[in-house]
């Protein structure tokens, strides 16, 4: 499984190159999740597709940018990925990311056995999880492995996603009660840097709830939610949909989304109290 680390690192370096040199213009089309596609979304998707399908151990892939999964005859791993998460903030030059989930058998939460994400920011970083969590920073020549990331029982960051006027009253109360307790707002609009920040600082809450305009939330189970749920649990945190552990959820279609909450135990307990 750790054989995927150098592959994801190669993808990261290639995608970083196109982020630095290509335009951030929109294409005419939308992706299967209904988002407008950028030229670089499609290029990043192709880079990852080519690398992954070239591996003997990979049996299939599916991406936020593709309607259907692509299967080969042999191999054992299935990879679901979001090639470039945060398309709506690329034009403002904020950090964006790539997200990967490694599945065995089927594309479903119960079958996830590894996950990774790349942060394209002032630095290039990779977090990879299988049985343990590993953290790498690219120093210009090679990827240096750093001390693993761990969440404390409680943090100070509140990262609340979604359109605020469409939050339920219960959700508004949850978000504001954290501010009352001294939590600080940290939300860029990029799931990867927002969740990475909570991991780096040791705790906090990221929420993307059900809203009036998005009753199933916005973030996609296979490409965004399950990989981060896997990583947060490995870091000693928790990830739920309000009531249920995200990695216990079922999935009916590849592009399905779900409300989601990621954080350290104390904040997730506050979420439970609100939603149960
Ligand atoms: P994308 O895959 O089209 O980039 O959308 C996913 C992004 C996440 O990175 C982020 O958490 C969320 O959308 C932000 O949504 P909002 O702008 O509604 O807060
Ligand atoms: Mg995305």
């Amino acid at each position: 499984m750790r054989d995927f680390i150098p592959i994801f690192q190669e993808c990261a370096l290639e995608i970083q190159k196109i982020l630095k040199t290509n335009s951030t213009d929109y294409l005419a089309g939308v992706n299967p999740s209904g988002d407008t596609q950028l030229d670089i979304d499609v290029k990043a998707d192709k880079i990852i597709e080519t690398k992954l399908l070239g591996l003997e151990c990979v049996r299939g892939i599916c991406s936020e940018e593709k309607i259907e999964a692509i299967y080969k005859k042999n191999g054992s791993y299935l990879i679901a990925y979001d090639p470039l998460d945060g398309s709506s903030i690329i034009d403002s030059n904020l950090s964006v990311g790539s997200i990967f989930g490694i599945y065995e058998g089927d594309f479903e939460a119960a079958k996830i056995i590894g996950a990774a994400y790349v942060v394209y920011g002032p630095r290039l970083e990779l977090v990879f999880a299988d049985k343990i969590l590993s953290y790498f920073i690219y120093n210009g020549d090679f990827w240096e492995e750093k001390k693993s990331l761990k969440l404390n029982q409680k943090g100070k960051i509140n990262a609340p996603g979604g359109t605020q006027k469409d939050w339920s009253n219960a959700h508004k109360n949850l978000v504001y009660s954290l501010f009352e307790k001294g939590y600080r707002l940290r939300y860029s609009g990029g799931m990867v840097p927002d969740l990475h920040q909570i991991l780096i600082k040791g705790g906090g809450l990221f929420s993307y709830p059900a809203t009036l305009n998005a009753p199933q939330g916005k973030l996609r189970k296979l490409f965004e939610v399950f990989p981060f749920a896997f990583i947060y649990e490995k870091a000693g945190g928790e990830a739920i949909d309000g009531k249920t552990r995200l990695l216990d959820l079922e999935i009916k279609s590849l592009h399905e989304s779900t409300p989601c909450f990621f954080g350290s135990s104390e904040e997730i307990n506050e979420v439970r109290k609100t939603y149960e």
Side-chain angles (χ1 to χ4, degrees), residues 35 64 82 85-87 162 187 189-191 206 208 218 220 224:
D35 303 321
E64 193 177 297
D82 183 353
D85 183 74
S87 305
Y187 189 74
M191 180 185 202
F206 173 97
Y208 207 106
K218 173 184 183 190
R220 281 127 299 209
E224 294 158 327

Side-chain angles (χ1 to χ4, degrees), residues 24-79:
T24 54
D25 290 347
Y26 283 103
L27 294 174
V30 292
N31 71 14
S33 299
D35 303 321
T36 326
Q37 264 179 330
L38 302 178
D39 184 37
I40 41 181
D41 284 329
V42 176
K43 284 187 175 144
D45 187 41
K46 198 71 205 164
I47 288 171
I48 298 174
E49 174 188 328
T50 307
K51 285 251 189 282
L52 292 180
L53 289 180
L55 299 175
E56 259 177 44
C57 65
V58 169
R59 187 166 69 79
I61 60 167
C62 74
S63 143
E64 193 177 297
E65 306 300 332
K66 299 185 196 307
I67 298 172
E68 303 281 358
I70 302 176
Y71 291 99
K72 300 183 345 196
K73 287 212 178 75
N74 301 311
S76 41
Y77 299 119
L78 299 170
I79 319 290

Side-chain angles (χ1 to χ4, degrees), residues 170-185:
H171 188 74
K172 281 181 191 158
N173 290 339
L174 167 68
V175 172
Y176 299 142
S177 73
L178 291 176
F179 288 134
E180 292 290 311
K181 287 182 188 141
Y183 283 75
R184 281 174 297 212
L185 175 67

Side-chain angles (χ1 to χ4, degrees):
M1 272 266 287
R2 286 180 70 83
D3 293 349
F4 280 107
I5 293 174
I7 304 296
F8 295 155
Q9 290 172 338
E10 285 170 23
C11 292
L13 283 164
E14 281 192 37
I15 292 172
Q16 191 199 36
K17 232 181 259 166
I18 62 164
L19 278 169
K20 285 188 190 294
T21 52
N22 280 236
S23 103
T24 54
D25 290 347
Y26 283 103
L27 294 174
V30 292
N31 71 14
S33 299
D35 303 321
T36 326
Q37 264 179 330
L38 302 178
D39 184 37
I40 41 181
D41 284 329
V42 176
K43 284 187 175 144
D45 187 41
K46 198 71 205 164
I47 288 171
I48 298 174
E49 174 188 328
T50 307
K51 285 251 189 282
L52 292 180
L53 289 180
L55 299 175
E56 259 177 44
C57 65
V58 169
R59 187 166 69 79
I61 60 167
C62 74
S63 143
E64 193 177 297
E65 306 300 332
K66 299 185 196 307
I67 298 172
E68 303 281 358
I70 302 176
Y71 291 99
K72 300 183 345 196
K73 287 212 178 75
N74 301 311
S76 41
Y77 299 119
L78 299 170
I79 319 290
Y81 61 93
D82 183 353
L84 211 44
D85 183 74
S87 305
S88 68
I89 54 172
I90 286 187
D91 55 356
S92 36
N93 199 18
L94 288 167
S95 295
V96 291
S98 301
I99 309 168
F100 303 88
I102 306 171
Y103 300 80
E104 206 166 25
D106 273 308
F107 285 117
E108 47 180 84
K111 302 286 170 62
I112 191 167
I113 52 167
Y117 67 84
V118 176
V119 192
Y120 307 96
R123 285 194 305 266
L124 189 57
E125 307 195 357
L126 170 81
V127 171
F128 177 91
D130 50 7
K131 291 196 168 61
I132 56 163
L133 197 71
S134 309
Y135 174 35
F136 303 88
I137 298 184
Y138 187 66
N139 67 12
D141 286 322
F142 59 91
W143 291 84
E144 269 180 46
E145 183 155 9
K146 302 287 176 188
K147 199 166 157 269
S148 182
L149 302 171
K150 190 107 202 85
L151 287 165
N152 302 320
Q153 281 292 103
K154 177 183 177 326
K156 293 180 184 154
I157 293 175
N158 192 5
T163 310
Q164 283 125 19
K165 81 169 175 51
D166 292 332
W167 286 349
S168 68
N169 286 334
H171 188 74
K172 281 181 191 158
N173 290 339
L174 167 68
V175 172
Y176 299 142
S177 73
L178 291 176
F179 288 134
E180 292 290 311
K181 287 182 188 141
Y183 283 75
R184 281 174 297 212
L185 175 67
R186 295 286 186 270
Y187 189 74
S188 74
M191 180 185 202
V192 173
D194 287 335
L195 281 166
H196 186 56
Q197 178 166 218
I198 292 173
L199 274 176
I200 294 288
K201 304 289 185 195
L205 178 69
F206 173 97
S207 45
Y208 207 106
T211 58
L212 283 177
N213 61 337
Q216 288 311 312
K218 173 184 183 190
L219 298 173
R220 281 127 299 209
K221 288 178 174 174
L222 277 184
F223 314 114
E224 294 158 327
V225 172
F226 294 160
F228 267 111
F230 188 87
I231 288 168
Y232 262 58
E233 288 189 0
K234 283 289 174 281
E238 293 187 66
I240 64 172
D241 72 351
K243 295 177 186 156
T244 308
R245 179 178 172 246
L246 291 168
L247 292 181
D248 286 334
L249 294 181
E250 307 223 315
I251 182 157
K252 293 193 193 73
S253 68
L254 295 180
H255 292 269
E256 206 171 301
S257 60
T258 176
C260 54
F261 300 83
F262 302 86
S264 18
S265 307
E266 209 160 293
E267 290 84 17
I268 293 293
N269 276 337
E270 293 303 312
V271 176
R272 279 199 191 94
K273 278 189 230 157
T274 301
Y275 281 89
E276 261 169 6

